[in-house]
C-alpha cells in the first residue's frame, strides 16, 4: 500500500518527483563520512542518483576517499539501471563493516559519470554529513539513501514498501 506523498516545503525536494529511470547529477555540497573516529571521505565533487521514492545516494570520487581503509570483496549485485556493482569492506583500526560501500566499475549507458565512484551505506557508519547536517539512513538499508531536512518522502525501503 502506497503511503501518502509528503508535500515539499520551500527549498525541499519530494522523492516522488524524482524520475524513473534515475537521474545522475553533480553535487557541489560538502559530503563527509565518519567511521571509528576517522573522516574516511570528504568531497565537494560527489554525484547523486535521484530515483522515484528513494532519497539520494551520493557517489564520491575515490580521490576524495581514504582508500587505505577500503578492501575489495567478492560480493556483486545488479541494478536494472546502473548494471553490475562491486563492494568494499571498510576497516578502520579494530572495526570493520563488510560490504559497507559499493561502486560500478563499468556502469551502463547514461551512468558512466559514476564509474569508480563509491557509495557508502550511511547506516553502517558512525555519521555521514551533507553540508554539515547529519543524515538519516534510508530505512531497510537495501538502497543506501541519505535523508536530510530538504528531502521528503515517504521513502521506499521500510517494512511494507516492497510493492511500491
Amino acid at each position: 500500500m502506497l503511503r501518502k506523498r509528503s508535500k515539499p516545503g520551500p527549498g525541499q525536494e519530494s522523492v516522488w518527483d524524482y524520475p524513473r529511470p534515475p537521474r545522475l547529477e553533480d553535487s557541489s555540497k560538502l559530503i563527509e563520512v565518519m567511521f571509528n573516529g576517522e573522516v574516511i571521505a570528504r568531497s565537494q565533487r560527489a554525484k547523486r542518483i535521484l530515483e522515484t521514492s528513494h532519497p539520494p545516494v551520493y557517489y564520491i570520487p575515490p580521490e576524495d576517499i581514504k582508500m587505505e581503509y577500503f578492501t575489495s570483496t567478492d560480493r556483486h549485485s545488479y541494478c536494472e539501471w546502473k548494471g553490475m556493482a562491486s563492494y568494499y569492506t571498510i576497516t578502520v583500526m579494530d572495526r570493520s563493516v563488510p560490504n559497507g560501500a559499493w561502486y560500478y566499475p563499468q556502469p551502463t549507458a547514461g551512468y558512466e559519470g559514476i564509474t569508480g565512484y563509491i557509495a557508502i551505506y550511511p547506516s553502517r557508519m558512525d555519521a555521514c554529513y551533507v553540508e554539515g547536517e547529519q543524515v538519516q539512513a534510508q530505512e531497510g538499508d537495501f538502497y543506501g539513501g541519505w535523508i536530510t531536512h530538504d528531502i521528503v518522502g515517504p521513502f521506499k525501503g521500510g517494512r511494507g514498501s516492497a510493492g511500491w
Side-chain angles (χ1 to χ4, degrees):
M1 166 164 51
L2 181 63
R3 294 186 218 167
K4 184 174 166 85
R5 175 188 188 268
S6 300
K7 183 177 180 185
Q12 291 185 314
E13 301 172 353
S14 169
V15 297
W16 292 96
D17 294 332
Y18 292 165
R20 191 164 172 86
R23 179 174 69 238
L24 170 63
E25 65 181 32
D26 293 334
S27 175
S28 61
K29 291 182 177 183
L30 177 62
I31 304 300
E32 297 173 294
V33 179
M34 301 281 305
F35 182 64
N36 205 21
E38 284 284 324
V39 176
I40 64 169
R42 181 180 170 89
S43 183
Q44 287 186 282
R45 301 179 307 137
K47 297 183 184 287
R48 64 184 199 152
I49 294 281
L50 307 177
E51 180 177 356
T52 304
S53 76
H54 302 285
V57 173
Y58 286 89
Y59 287 79
I60 305 167
E63 300 82 20
D64 294 345
I65 292 177
K66 293 183 179 177
M67 292 303 298
E68 64 268 25
Y69 299 131
F70 289 67
T71 306
S72 294
T73 73
D74 292 335
R75 180 169 186 213
H76 299 281
S77 64
Y78 182 77
C79 170
E80 66 181 307
W81 307 113
K82 298 177 289 295
M84 189 66 66
S86 297
Y87 288 77
Y88 288 112
T89 288
I90 302 169
T91 304
V92 176
M93 292 178 279
D94 61 340
R95 285 182 63 202
S96 286
V97 177
N99 302 309
W102 73 97
Y103 67 101
Y104 293 90
Q106 296 179 313
T108 57
Y111 298 96
E112 299 92 346
I114 59 168
T115 302
Y117 277 50
I118 299 167
I120 299 171
Y121 287 105
S123 64
R124 300 180 188 177
M125 298 294 104
D126 295 339
C128 295
Y129 299 90
V130 176
E131 291 290 324
E133 178 186 351
Q134 187 169 350
V135 306
Q136 176 187 344
Q138 181 176 7
E139 191 178 350
D141 204 32
F142 179 77
Y143 301 101
W146 294 37
I147 303 170
T148 53
H149 77 281
D150 56 349
I151 308 295
V152 298
F155 308 107
K156 186 171 183 175
R159 178 174 282 143
S161 67
W164 292 4

